[in-house]
Amino acid sequence: MKFELVKLPYAADALEPVIGKQTIEFHHGKHLQTYVNNLNKLIQDTKFENADLETIVRESDGALFNNAGQVLNHNLYFTQFAPNSNGKPSGKLAAAIDATYGTFENFQKEFEAAGVGLFGSGWLWLAADKDGKLSITKESNAGNPVTKGLKPLLGFDVWEHAYYLDYQNRRADHLKELWKIVDWKAVEARY
Ligand code: MN
């Protein structure tokens, strides 16, 4: 087994009420574990057997891309939260957000609107190019900005499995609540 299930940096119930314990247990323990298992099977006896995850995502397609993309996406997703963090970005990321979106509050509004406007299953990312220029990218299914040469900084999962148990169909409410648990120190470390 080359790839392993990423360890959560918090207890399964630690993000409540924003993300419930049962959602974490299914999302991390079942959905992500399945992507990891599929990825390990699909790379066997291929040129990707010893490749790193980002290389696989950039260079593969089909089922391999879908499973590798979802492993990369969820590894970023689950390690960007902290209980009751209620924080805001600081330092050069905060400055770049202000320069690009006017204010942090306006960035949040644009990010949420992009998530509500994403049709079907997918991901919403704050990404940076090689010069540090920020953009919000919407990706369907397993997409990740690395395929566009961008670095993913913050990712919100808008597949229903991320919120249905806690919010049913209310995606907008879920996205609004997620800000309460973003660990900006982890996000800034990627910038
Ligand atoms: Mn997911």
Side-chain angles (χ1 to χ4, degrees):
M1 292 294 258
K2 179 177 178 182
F3 292 103
E4 291 182 3
L5 185 67
V6 69
K7 283 203 172 52
L8 295 176
Y10 40 77
D13 62 355
L15 303 181
E16 292 191 340
V18 177
I19 303 177
K21 180 171 186 256
Q22 200 184 14
T23 296
I24 292 287
E25 286 172 348
F26 273 93
H27 197 185
H28 176 261
K30 305 283 185 199
H31 290 282
L32 178 53
Q33 183 69 65
T34 300
Y35 296 130
V36 170
N37 294 347
N38 289 343
L39 173 61
N40 282 323
K41 270 183 231 152
L42 288 162
I43 57 172
Q44 273 173 25
D45 305 318
T46 74
K47 64 173 175 172
F48 295 114
E49 208 161 28
N50 296 306
D52 64 66
L53 192 50
E54 284 198 15
T55 301
I56 300 173
V57 171
R58 274 196 301 267
E59 298 181 7
S60 67
D61 54 20
L64 180 52
F65 171 81
N66 286 334
N67 285 283
Q70 285 293 67
V71 174
L72 176 62
N73 294 348
H74 288 91
N75 287 355
L76 293 164
Y77 176 81
F78 283 116
T79 56
Q80 69 184 0
F81 296 130
N84 303 311
S85 52
N86 270 313
K88 288 183 171 193
S90 61
K92 65 175 185 163
L93 180 60
I97 287 174
D98 286 348
T100 310
Y101 301 102
T103 61
F104 177 59
E105 289 69 27
N106 192 55
F107 159 71
Q108 289 176 296
K109 223 181 281 175
E110 287 193 31
F111 202 72
E112 289 171 31
V116 170
L118 197 159
F119 183 79
S121 296
W123 289 82
L124 187 63
W125 298 99
L126 175 66
D129 74 8
K130 60 178 180 7
D131 301 318
K133 190 180 175 309
L134 300 177
S135 57
I136 295 170
T137 80
K138 293 194 280 187
E139 303 282 343
S140 63
N141 299 320
N144 186 294
V146 296
T147 60
K148 300 175 170 119
L150 302 174
K151 183 189 278 190
L153 306 176
L154 172 73
F156 283 5
D157 186 345
V158 297
W159 286 57
E160 284 188 342
H161 69 215
Y163 60 88
Y164 210 83
L165 293 174
D166 299 315
Y167 299 83
Q168 290 77 51
N169 61 323
R170 292 175 287 114
R171 182 189 285 185
D173 292 350
H174 172 62
L175 296 178
K176 202 178 283 297
E177 291 298 301
L178 278 180
W179 300 115
K180 294 177 181 170
I181 56 167
V182 172
D183 177 1
W184 285 101
K185 290 286 161 246
V187 177
E188 286 163 22
R190 297 170 185 168
Y191 186 49

